[in-house]
Amino acid sequence: ISFNSVDSSLSSLKNCQSYINTGMDIATHVALDLVESFNDIEDVNSMENVILEYAAMDRELNHYMTAIEETVNQIKREKPENIPDLKILVKEKFAALESKNSDSDLQKNEKYLYFKNQLKEMRKQFRHQSDNDNEGIEQIDEDIAVTQSQMNFICPITQMEMKRPVRNKVCGHTYEEDAILKIIQTRKQQKKKVKCPKIGCSHADVKRSDLLPDEALKRAIDSQNKQ
């Protein structure tokens, strides 16, 4: 049995998944724009609902692709004399997967977790900047707060202000993207693991796949420089 047309369809579905991921990225950036411009919280929450809708689409698409792959593997394994109805088999497996759905699944989506983390960091950064603008804050407290904030802008590798910060989703520390990737590449060639460069961190296996762009921190750095 040739499954070329099925493989082609699966490839098209995976392209759809990339469009979903792009949509989630755009919704995240819009939410960060809203926080940066101090928009109403309802507008930000509406972006969270968009992310959850995308997460539901992503889950449904994953279940459908899994149902197709399991059906094809079953037929290849059993090699039946009479070709079964693929649509019915896929529909049954898909329904079984969908029956296990719960709202908590959507909140475990990696893009949703990234959205929540970036939103939290963005609010923290820009609430701090807003507080500094308020009258009545003693100058010494403001200087300390600004100094601490600027320390978070410094890469532990280059000891310079970051231009493209990435956050390690395992330990939460940030680095300049080019600097950490260079270390990972060098240690990979030496067949050695990479220890987190942040002093005091015990994480001893930094991987490229664990690094995510820290858009909130980048915006805070850019905003500080403009001021």
Side-chain angles (χ1 to χ4, degrees):
I1 305 171
S2 174
F3 291 101
N4 289 338
S5 59
V6 176
D7 292 337
S8 176
S9 297
L10 277 174
S11 179
S12 296
L13 288 174
K14 286 173 182 175
N15 283 336
C16 290
Q17 202 164 32
S18 71
Y19 300 146
I20 290 173
N21 287 333
T22 300
M24 294 174 96
D25 289 339
I26 292 171
T28 299
H29 280 85
V30 170
L32 297 182
D33 286 341
L34 291 169
V35 174
E36 190 172 358
S37 55
F38 303 102
N39 275 55
D40 191 272
I41 191 168
E42 287 186 11
D43 294 330
V44 178
N45 289 343
S46 69
M47 286 299 103
E48 182 171 353
N49 291 332
V50 169
I51 292 282
L52 288 171
E53 287 176 16
Y54 274 123
M57 291 167 60
D58 186 60
R59 179 180 62 187
E60 185 176 355
L61 193 57
N62 276 325
H63 284 170
Y64 192 67
M65 289 192 293
T66 298
I68 293 173
E69 288 167 351
E70 287 183 356
T71 300
V72 169
N73 290 335
Q74 179 184 336
I75 293 172
K76 286 180 178 178
R77 186 173 59 253
E78 296 176 355
K79 298 178 181 177
E81 291 183 10
N82 298 318
I83 307 301
D85 191 321
L86 293 180
K87 287 184 179 180
I88 292 176
L89 285 176
V90 169
K91 189 175 181 179
E92 288 174 352
K93 291 182 184 294
F94 175 70
L97 290 168
E98 286 284 290
S99 68
K100 298 174 184 177
N101 287 350
S102 71
D103 291 341
S104 61
D105 296 339
L106 303 181
Q107 294 175 356
K108 293 174 186 174
N109 181 285
E110 189 167 336
K111 289 278 187 182
Y112 176 76
L113 292 173
Y114 176 75
F115 168 84
K116 293 293 285 185
N117 176 270
Q118 287 290 285
L119 208 58
K120 179 183 174 183
E121 291 298 318
M122 194 73 173
R123 281 173 170 152
K124 189 192 302 180
Q125 296 284 357
F126 281 86
R127 187 186 305 121
H128 167 69
Q129 289 186 23
S130 176
D131 290 344
N132 283 347
D133 291 338
N134 293 336
E135 294 181 5
I137 297 178
E138 293 184 13
Q139 185 63 41
I140 186 168
D141 289 339
E142 186 172 340
D143 290 342
I144 290 172
V146 171
T147 301
Q148 288 176 338
S149 177
Q150 288 173 339
M151 283 175 64
N152 294 330
F153 298 167
I154 303 300
C155 171
I157 304 167
T158 65
Q159 294 301 310
M160 296 175 65
E161 186 176 87
M162 291 179 278
K163 292 183 173 63
R164 294 175 63 184
V166 289
R167 183 177 295 273
N168 189 327
K169 64 182 181 183
V170 176
C171 63
H173 293 127
T174 51
Y175 333 98
E176 180 64 55
E177 183 178 29
D178 290 343
I180 189 64
L181 290 181
K182 188 175 181 181
I183 291 176
I184 291 173
Q185 181 61 31
T186 300
R187 299 294 279 181
K188 185 178 180 181
Q189 292 171 351
Q190 298 170 346
K191 297 183 178 178
K192 293 180 180 179
K193 293 181 178 180
V194 178
K195 187 179 184 305
C196 176
K198 187 74 173 180
I199 295 174
C201 183
S202 60
H203 183 47
D205 190 13
V206 179
K207 297 175 182 175
R208 184 178 189 137
S209 58
D210 293 331
L211 304 177
L212 299 171
D214 198 329
E215 180 68 21
L217 183 57
K218 184 180 185 304
R219 287 173 183 240
I221 293 171
D222 292 344
S223 177
Q224 185 72 38
N225 289 335
K226 286 177 184 176
Q227 289 178 4

